């Protein structure tokens, strides 16, 4: 099925799809089989509540001198450049997208400058853990395995997982992902974990979204298991590709990654996130960047909501 191109697509640069050999895409996943979760099992509200804070520190009580930032007064953020509508560089060279514009709004609430730098997703969490970045912004699903490496803010998003194929492919959805199907993933993602540890299959791993999508288009792989937001950002009319199926995934909310020992920064970001939820900014940005989520019900599926347990999403 095809989706209407959202308004941000016109501003996004068209990156060349790099064709790389299947042998070059091997290697291990960053998620261990002992910690695997079925990303399509649906929302487990009890699990989500275990990590969601009851409330937050009021913004006027945040001491910005205690945030442990690499550069005082500035959030240095690692992000991606090729994953619209969430995280990408637009035609003017600006880092933008839903996740990054929301983080800018959080930074404004805290009186912090936000500076972005591009990296690969497979390296991002270790870079945050090693304090090369203060924050990781990349639609990061907050799995238990990842919590061993980094800390996370409260959630600001959920996601869908999608199967992307050529129009005439025999694969029509998740049920067709079986032995013998060449399945592409971006290395280190929840989709990598899902194919490897839930489906017990060996995927073809790629370093970024442009490359894996290019290999769908040229037939080097049969299907790409993708975050549906990024799938929608890649699939275009005339590419002879489609989103064959997408399924809601709220098993682990999406959050910003922070060094797990830097609780003051996590607390500050949680305070800023609640502030942008309470004043309607979160709702506005969600509707702007996700044109398939215009209503409150579509923005908060299966009882999920962003921020702390205390914050309320304002009624429209």
């Amino acid at each position: 099925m095809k989706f209407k191109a959202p308004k941000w697509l016109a501003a996004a640069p068209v990156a060349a799809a790099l064709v790389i050999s299947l042998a070059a895409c091997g290697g291990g996943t960053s998620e261990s089989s002992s910690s695997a979760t079925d990303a399509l099992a649906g929302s487990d509200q009890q699990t989500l509540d275990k990590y969601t804070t009851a409330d937050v520190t009021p913004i006027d009580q945040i001491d910005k001198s205690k945030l442990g930032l690499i550069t005082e007064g500035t959030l240095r953020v690692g992000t991606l450049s090729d994953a619209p509508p969430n995280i990408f560089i637009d035609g003017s060279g600006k880092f933008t997208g839903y996740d990054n514009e929301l983080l800018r709004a959080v930074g404004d609430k805290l009186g912090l400058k936000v500076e972005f730098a591009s990296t690969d997703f497979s390296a991002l969490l270790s870079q945050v853990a090693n304090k090369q970045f203060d924050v990781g912004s990349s639609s990061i699903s907050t799995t238990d395995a990842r919590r061993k490496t980094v800390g996370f803010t409260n959630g600001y998003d959920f996601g869908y997982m999608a199967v992307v194929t050529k129009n005439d492919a025999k694969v029509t959805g998740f049920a067709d992902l079986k032995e013998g199907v060449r399945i592409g993933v971006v290395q280190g993602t929840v989709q990598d974990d899902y194919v490897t540890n839930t489906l017990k299959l060996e995927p073809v791993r790629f370093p970024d979204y442009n490359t894996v999508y290019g290999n769908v288009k040229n037939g080097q792989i049969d299907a790409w298991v993708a975050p549906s937001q990024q799938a929608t950002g890649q699939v275009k009319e005339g590419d002879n590709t489609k989103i064959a199926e997408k399924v809601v995934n709220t098993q682990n909310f999406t959050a910003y990654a922070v060094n797990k020992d830097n609780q003051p920064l996590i607390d500050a970001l949680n305070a800023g996130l609640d502030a942008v939820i309470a004043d309607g900014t979160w709702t506005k940005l969600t509707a702007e960047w996700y044109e398939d989520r215009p209503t409150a019900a579509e923005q908060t599926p299966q009882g999920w909501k962003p921020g702390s347990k205390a914050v309320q999403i304002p009624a429209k």
Side-chain angles (χ1 to χ4, degrees):
M1 58 192 210
K2 290 283 186 183
F3 292 90
K4 178 183 176 182
K7 60 185 178 183
W8 52 260
L9 191 57
V14 179
L18 303 177
V19 179
I20 61 180
S21 72
L22 302 186
C25 303
T29 174
S30 64
E31 309 276 0
S32 66
S33 59
S34 62
S35 61
T37 57
D38 185 347
L40 299 185
S43 177
D44 181 346
Q45 198 62 40
Q46 184 176 4
T47 298
L48 299 182
D49 283 351
K50 179 173 68 173
Y51 295 115
T52 300
T53 63
D55 52 27
V56 298
T57 303
I59 281 187
D60 61 6
Q61 295 180 24
I62 297 293
D63 185 347
K64 291 192 289 185
S65 70
K66 300 288 180 61
L67 301 185
L69 300 175
I70 298 168
T71 302
E72 188 172 351
T74 299
L75 288 174
R76 293 187 60 182
V77 183
T79 189
L80 308 189
S81 60
D82 68 334
N86 296 82
I87 48 257
F88 67 101
I89 299 175
D90 69 14
S92 69
K94 175 188 175 183
F95 284 94
T96 188
Y98 175 73
D99 301 56
N100 290 342
E101 295 302 337
L102 182 65
L103 187 54
R104 279 195 175 98
V106 170
D108 285 346
K109 292 292 185 182
L110 296 169
L112 296 173
K113 183 180 179 181
V114 183
E115 291 184 351
F116 295 96
S118 181
T119 188
D120 290 333
F121 184 82
S122 60
L124 178 57
L125 297 188
S126 64
Q127 290 169 334
V128 171
N130 293 332
K131 299 185 180 181
Q132 293 173 253
F133 297 117
D134 297 309
V135 181
S137 172
S138 185
S139 292
I140 305 168
S141 292
T142 55
T143 66
D144 285 344
R146 289 174 176 169
R147 288 182 185 277
K148 296 176 182 178
T149 302
V150 295
F152 287 105
T153 64
N154 286 328
Y156 63 85
D157 197 10
F158 64 95
Y160 291 83
M161 276 172 58
V163 174
V164 178
T165 67
K166 296 187 76 168
N167 287 337
D168 59 355
K170 294 180 180 179
V171 175
T172 61
F174 287 94
D176 295 326
L177 300 179
K178 300 174 181 178
E179 194 70 42
V181 176
R182 297 169 299 177
I183 305 167
V185 296
V186 171
Q187 183 170 351
T189 60
V190 167
Q191 292 73 39
D192 186 351
D193 178 50
Y194 173 73
V195 174
T196 304
N197 296 321
T198 300
L199 299 184
K200 306 297 184 184
L201 299 172
E202 183 66 18
V204 181
R205 298 183 178 93
F206 296 88
D208 56 58
Y209 294 109
N210 283 332
T211 308
V212 66
Y213 180 60
N215 278 264
V216 174
K217 289 198 298 182
N218 66 29
Q220 292 294 309
I221 56 176
D222 302 311
W224 167 29
V225 179
S228 74
Q229 297 97 313
Q230 278 68 65
T232 303
Q234 293 283 353
V235 174
K236 303 175 183 66
E237 294 290 343
D239 279 355
N240 192 32
T241 59
K242 64 182 179 181
I243 297 175
E245 184 181 17
K246 69 175 184 177
V247 179
V248 67
N249 164 26
T250 56
Q251 184 71 26
N252 301 285
F253 54 65
T254 294
Y256 298 111
V258 183
N259 182 284
K260 64 181 179 179
D261 295 324
N262 193 348
Q263 192 61 46
L265 181 54
I266 295 173
D267 292 343
L269 292 172
N270 281 339
L273 178 59
D274 266 24
V276 299
I277 294 167
D279 73 4
T281 300
W282 178 88
T283 300
K284 176 178 178 291
L285 288 173
T286 301
E288 176 183 346
W289 288 98
Y290 295 140
E291 294 187 355
D292 58 345
R293 302 184 194 177
T295 69
E298 289 161 324
Q299 293 171 4
T300 57
Q302 299 183 23
W304 177 87
K305 80 173 189 67
S308 76
K309 296 175 186 178
V311 69
Q312 297 297 314
I313 301 171
K316 288 185 178 181

